[in-house]
Amino acid sequence: MLALWSLSFILLCVWRFSYAQYEHLGYFPGYQDPAQDLYTAPELSKDVPRIQLRLAGEKRKHNEGRVEVFYEGEWGTVCDDDFTIHAAHVVCRELGYFEAVSWSPSSKYGKGEGRIWFDNVHCKGTEKSLAQCESNGIGVSDCKHTEDVGVVCSDKRIPGFKFVNTLTNNVNSLNIQVEDVRIRPILSSYRKRIPVTEGYVEVKDGGKWKQICDDDWTHMNSRVICGMFGFPGDKRYNTRVYKMFARRRKPTFWDYSINCTGNEAHLSSCKLGHTLAIKANSTCEQGTPVVISCVPGRAFAPTPMAGYRKAFRQEQPLVRLRGGAVFGEGRVEVLKNGEWGTICDDNWNLMAATVVCRELGFGSAKEALSGGQLGQGMGPVHMNEVQCSGFEKSVTECPFNMDKDSEGCSHEEDAGVRCNVPAMGFQQRLRLSGGRNPFEGRVEVLMERNGSLVWGTVCGEGWGTMEAMVVCRQLGLGFASHAFQETWNWPGAVNADSVVMSGVRCAGTEMSLSHCLNHGEYLSCPRGGGRFAAGVSCSETAPDLVLNPQVVEQTTYLEDRPMFMLQCAYEENCLGSTSSSTPANSYRRLLRFSSQIHNNGQSDFRPKASRETWVWHDCHRHYHSMEVFTHYDLLSNNGTKVAEGHKASFCLEDSECDEGIEKRYECANFGEQGITVGCWDTYRHDIDCQWVDITDVKPGDYIFQIVINPNYEVAESDYTNNIVKCRCRYDGHRIWMYNCHIGGSFSAEAEDTFPGLINNQVTHR
């Protein structure tokens, strides 16, 4: 009986993982849906004009745009005069969305065309149609298209929503409005796969799932549906087996066909096809239910043994994402003339963002981000006013304003993307327990033990920021703010105290904690789980420290300093190993420089340790809030370290800030330490330990490297830009520093000329 229960539990969990792809759409799917009485189709009196709505224009999400009205065979717009959030609610609910989030005047989504159908609209918010709201009368307006109104609707759809066509003609002009869409695996071999890549395309209309007749189905339709579920492309499938299945099972068809051009980011942007002639037995005349087979990106494709014979491959790494909290989002950076740079957000839209997403092996874009929302980049702004058709293989192929590729644009306007990614069910295998809010708690994982799936804890020994980053990403909670090796205050679930995972070591880029190195079945956790289990706290934002390479290059010089003036530096281990035998009247040769560390992230950089635990150093009369804040290394051309230095973070403060930003951190009088977003901390060349001791270094050519936050003590949105590298020539008397740049800011070929260094990757601890 126990074995039967265990098998049932495992099957239930596998089923939940398979259908996790629908959770982001707001509703958990089922083959049989309960009757839904939350939505009833509106019954309009005869005197109410019959209209249809759509969201159009320069969108950055599918559920926003310029409000357009279809009336008497013509699309027109709505004037923003007297428009309110109540009217926006009416518009969004008429389109099947749960509510409106906001509205925008003055043609934010571009100027429309044709008539302005409504002006001076006054809605109570309870109307079933915009046509029921008071206005000047349909077609009566003194507005211009510069006053076209736009709305942003909620992601959530109205349960049970049913599309009702109130028009007798022009149905091909209408956009698709359904409650939901899914790929339902039919063949047994595909039901077991994660992610779901092949099956029937079904739409949910009126609370019921329905198939689509394949009479007018095209490859472009498949491309859009696959993109919505996180897949960059589609492929052929075995039609014969699905025809056999359709003959055995009676399908229930939707009333309409679908007409996509292929560059839409979402089905709601596609047009309705013609109304189908449905037979009495609910089968379409010549066809069968639509089936699609999607191609996953390389990161989501298991080994060929799992049944995937083809996976999307990125042809050439010309684009990358940086600064995102989860897989498939980030600031867009492009490679041009061997150097990585950003894209200005002027005219940045869903179509261009979708090209980026598909190029990187994801699906279509969920959102096109603007205004440096995912942190500001460094280096040049390579592209501006990008205009993509949606079919380019790379965003670098899209036309852009070559005369203004960076003119008038700053990194405050860096463009970003959020891509649709396949649902892998990772969130179902991990949870936080015992915390004060959903963003913190003891880490508990679902593991198979003795043929059963059981919840248990992770051994806290060796647990750090990188492991916590993976947990927060897997749960969709953003970045890690703290990693805890003990969770005394978070009791968690009593039946999950046992340790089921130990020895976890992550690079920080994994999608799931199970992808990190660990002891597997050979658990080793001397202190046990329970109160010594691993824990995390997560945050939606994180800082991002970036060092200015030009300041390093411009401030470098040599100083010969007598040993008797270096006692404090000696005590803090800032001198070379031979300094212990150096007489007090002898000199040490120091390579001095200034460093200017910017916080380009989305939250302030704060020391890991609380101020109560900062260590007072009597020699320098200051507190150390981080044991090691930076590493300074001089390396030979083959990467061998020849000299090193380190800088304790004795004072993290805002030296200067961008215009309009106030300083928040100051070290005087035992003040709070940190670096505010948009500010920078300058360590001048004349500060103790702001050097590398090169007394024992022979003349020659070297590579100078600086690493900020080297031990990953504080979580950041991007560690790959924490490195600065320079060429260095020393003739025994003078020193030259040149070609300083942030690690990963050049192409791989250029970075290869700096052997033995950390090249655009976080090294494993």
Side-chain angles (χ1 to χ4, degrees), residues 5 95 329 443 445 476 521-522 591 679-680 688 703 706 712 749:
W5 182 89
L95 288 168
E329 77 170 25
V443 178
V445 294
E521 297 180 0
Y522 305 97
L591 168 59
C679 299
W680 57 91
D688 260 4
I703 297 168
I706 303 174
Y712 317 124
E749 292 78 9

Side-chain angles (χ1 to χ4, degrees), residues 52 71 115 127 168 170 239 253 270 313 381 396 411 474 496 526 730 743 748-749 759 762:
Q52 293 287 350
Y71 180 68
R115 302 278 296 275
E127 294 86 353
T168 54
N170 304 107
T239 58
F253 287 103
C270 296
R313 295 291 189 272
V381 178
T396 58
H411 287 297
Q474 183 174 346
Y730 174 51
E749 292 78 9
N759 285 315
V762 177

Side-chain angles (χ1 to χ4, degrees), residues 655-670:
S655 301
E656 298 290 340
C657 298
D658 289 331
E659 186 177 352
I661 298 177
E662 294 185 6
K663 299 179 183 179
R664 297 183 59 186
Y665 302 104
E666 189 175 6
C667 297
N669 302 318
F670 193 36

Side-chain angles (χ1 to χ4, degrees), residues 213-215 246 253 283-289:
C213 180
D214 69 355
D215 276 353
F253 287 103
T283 60
C284 51
E285 189 171 357
Q286 300 294 330
T288 56

Side-chain angles (χ1 to χ4, degrees), residues 314 317-321 332-334 340 356 359-360 394-396:
Q314 185 184 345
L318 297 175
V319 178
R320 68 186 185 187
L321 302 182
V332 181
E333 297 187 353
V334 295
W340 289 98
V356 169
E359 177 180 4
L360 293 173
S394 170
V395 72
T396 58

Side-chain angles (χ1 to χ4, degrees), residues 39 68 111 114 181 197 225 242 255 285 348 353 359 441 455 472 494 510 595 599 673 692-693 695 702 742 751:
Y39 178 85
E68 294 197 348
K111 294 188 291 185
V181 60
T197 60
I225 298 295
Y242 284 102
D255 297 343
E285 189 171 357
W348 187 247
E359 177 180 4
W455 286 100
C472 294
V494 177
E510 296 88 350
S595 61
N599 182 359
Q673 294 191 23
V692 175
D693 184 350
T695 305
Y702 297 96
I742 297 170
E751 295 288 358

Side-chain angles (χ1 to χ4, degrees), residues 1 55 117 133 179 244 360 401 429 445 529 616 724:
M1 185 67 181
L55 301 180
W117 285 121
C133 298
E179 179 188 342
M244 292 173 57
L360 293 173
N401 191 338
R429 308 174 197 181
V445 294
W616 173 259
V724 163

